Each structure stands twice: as C-alpha cells, then as structure tokens.
Amino acid sequence: MGTPEFPDLGKHCSVEDCRQIDFLPFTCDRCRKVFCLEHRSYTKHLCPNANQQDVTVLVCPLCAKGVHLVPDEDPNITWESHVNLDCDPSNYQKTTKKKRCPIPGCKETLTFSNTIRCRDCTKEHCLKHRFGPDHKCPGPKKPVSGFPFVGLLNRSQKRESLSKNSSNGTSWWSSSLLTAASSLRASAEAGMQRLSNATTQALQKAKDGTSPGGSGALVEQCTQCPAKFSTISALIEHAEKSHHRSTQPGCARVTIDACPICSKGFRDPVLLVEHVERDHGGSSIA
C-alpha cells in the first residue's frame, strides 16, 4: 500500500465483507474506524456509537421549552427530570403568544423598534405594512353619535358621489366646514336668545318685586297707613302718591328699602340689614 513518497497512503475498509483498499479512506467520528466511500455513513457500517451525539429535542407542551434527549437514557426518565426541575408553565405564554403583524401571511414579530401604529385604524403593523394600502386600512373610525358634526358627516356621505366627480377636492371640504360653522352659529344664537329671555324675565320679576308668597297675597303693608299690597312696587307707588305729597302735618316723607331676596320692604335700613343677616344667613345674593 502507499507510494514511496507516501508509504502510509491507503487503508483497508473495516467492514469484514468489504476490506477494500481506499487511498483516501474516511474515519468515523463515533467509532474511530476507517471505511471506504461506500461504507462511510453510520447506517452503512452499522456504527454502534451512532447515537452518542444525538441532538434530538422535544418541545414541552407545558412550558414550550426544548428538552434534549440524552443518549443511552430512557426518554421517560429525561421527561420526568425536566417536569420536576426545569418546567415553568408561565413561560408558555411568553413564548407562544408573541405579537405578530396581523397581515395574513406575514410572520414578522412586532417589537419596540419595528412596530408602527396606524393613525386611522389604530392597529399595529410591521414596517413593511405600515402604509394604509399595504394593510388595507378601512379608514378613520366613525365619530360618536353625540358629536355635533354627526349630521354634517351624514350629509357628506350622501355627497360622496358628487365629490368624486369634482376636480377640486378642497372646495367640498370648504363648503362642508362652512355649513358646519353656520349650524353651530345658529345653535349658539338660539341658546343666547333663550338665555336672554330667561334673564329678562328674572330682571322683570326683580323689578316688579314679586313676593315669594304667591301672586295676589297682600304681604307688604304701608308704614303710614293700614293699606297692604302684593308687590313692593305697588307699595312704593302708594307711598309716593298718598304720603309724600300730603299736606297734612302728621304725614312725613318716608323712604322704603326693599330686601333684594324676598322683596320685603323696610323703612329703616338697619332693620333691613338685620333681616338679611337673620333670615338669609347674611347673604344678599338671590
């Protein structure tokens, strides 16, 4: 065997039925024997140590971790050891429930650096499908029914056919915004008108001095005579006509002060102050 330059070149195949001389033999990394090209695989020469470097791994259905099967060991013993020592069921959700891009066929895992949230549909997508046409975005969500512009948007849907044929899209938006501004202005004017009417009524009641005891009740009595009146304005008018211009020496000029809350009249301002502090808690705000 060999040549004068390489005397150790070439060896016999270790298979008894072969024993072929091979000048470039193969050495098995398990049994360390020499074989020819035909018997170099583990199955061809029936290598007894073929499973010593076995890398078979089973995925645990409880924790989704890989369990390496030890050669020359019962798989049941290996599994039992994993369940008692390494198995953590809480890891299953972290491993299997990773957030992925919702586009069918896309297996990209969404992380902090490659996640984009669409402003219209508010869904998260990968960088490849971040644009609306790429993930078939349905558009922005419809506003809540209680929003003031719901009527405007409903009318805009009826005008979509006209807006599509229009060459200038900004004109439609301008008219829509103008219509919305007009409706808001009309509603604001109506609200201000109702507020103005309520304020006018309140001022008129305060000016007339309507008594809280009800219309028609004679609760205001003149300090100069036994006459009684239902409103403070009627009392003041009576005092001016009957007592201020009287020429009788017993009649004096009298000034009547009305309570701003209950419209009760007082001749002495001190009595009015005491009345407000005693009956209304010291506040003159109606």
Side-chain angles (χ1 to χ4, degrees):
M1 291 187 300
T3 61
E5 292 80 5
F6 302 97
D8 297 332
L9 185 62
K11 293 183 180 180
H12 288 280
C13 179
S14 299
V15 178
E16 294 296 336
D17 297 338
C18 180
R19 303 300 296 175
Q20 180 182 356
I21 298 177
D22 197 330
F23 289 97
L24 295 174
F26 295 89
T27 302
C28 179
D29 58 348
R30 308 293 174 84
C31 61
R32 312 306 300 176
K33 293 183 180 181
V34 178
F35 299 95
C36 63
L37 178 63
E38 183 181 357
H39 299 98
R40 71 184 185 279
S41 62
Y42 302 142
T43 57
K44 289 294 183 179
H45 66 265
L46 303 177
C47 183
N49 302 326
N51 61 346
Q52 287 184 353
Q53 298 183 4
D54 190 9
V55 291
T56 303
V57 177
L58 298 179
V59 179
C60 177
L62 301 178
C63 63
K65 291 183 179 180
V67 181
H68 176 69
L69 297 182
V70 182
D72 299 332
E73 186 180 40
D74 189 0
N76 295 326
I77 298 177
T78 306
W79 172 259
E80 189 71 20
S81 176
H82 164 73
V83 171
N84 295 333
L85 299 178
D86 301 331
C87 188
D88 184 11
S90 62
N91 186 65
Y92 185 84
Q93 296 292 336
K94 300 178 182 179
T95 306
T96 59
K97 298 298 181 180
K98 292 182 178 180
K99 186 180 292 186
R100 299 182 182 276
C101 183
I103 301 301
C106 182
K107 299 181 179 180
E108 185 72 19
T109 303
L110 298 181
T111 60
F112 177 77
S113 59
N114 69 338
T115 302
I116 298 295
R117 182 182 295 273
C118 180
R119 292 181 296 178
D120 295 333
C121 61
T122 66
K123 293 183 179 179
E124 295 182 347
H125 301 84
C126 62
L127 296 177
K128 183 179 179 181
H129 303 99
R130 64 185 182 273
F131 297 110
D134 297 333
H135 61 265
K136 298 180 180 180
C137 182
K141 294 183 178 180
K142 295 182 180 180
V144 186
S145 59
F147 195 69
F149 288 95
V150 171
L152 171 62
L153 294 179
N154 293 334
R155 292 193 298 270
S156 67
Q157 292 178 357
K158 297 180 182 178
R159 300 178 184 176
E160 283 184 356
S161 58
L162 299 177
S163 62
K164 291 181 181 179
N165 298 329
S166 178
S167 59
N168 187 7
T170 58
S171 61
W172 178 82
W173 284 105
S174 301
S175 61
S176 300
L177 292 177
L178 182 60
T179 306
S182 302
S183 61
L184 289 178
R185 181 179 179 181
S187 61
E189 290 178 353
M192 292 298 295
Q193 184 64 29
R194 290 194 297 268
L195 179 60
S196 177
N197 294 337
T199 305
T200 302
Q201 295 176 2
L203 292 176
Q204 186 64 30
K205 290 181 180 180
K207 182 178 180 181
D208 295 340
T210 302
S211 175
S215 59
L218 302 179
V219 295
E220 303 297 340
Q221 182 176 0
C222 180
T223 58
Q224 301 295 323
C225 64
K228 294 185 179 181
F229 303 91
S230 61
T231 60
I232 190 64
S233 59
L235 175 61
I236 295 175
E237 184 179 358
H238 161 74
E240 290 179 352
K241 291 181 179 181
S242 302
H243 302 292
H244 285 194
R245 298 179 182 178
S246 179
T247 58
Q248 298 178 4
C251 295
R253 189 177 185 86
V254 180
T255 302
I256 304 299
D257 295 322
C259 177
I261 300 177
C262 63
S263 303
K264 189 174 181 180
F266 294 91
R267 183 178 60 179
D268 190 354
V270 177
L271 298 177
L272 173 60
V273 174
E274 293 178 353
H275 161 73
V276 172
E277 293 180 350
R278 180 179 65 255
D279 299 338
H280 302 294
S283 175
S284 62
I285 299 176

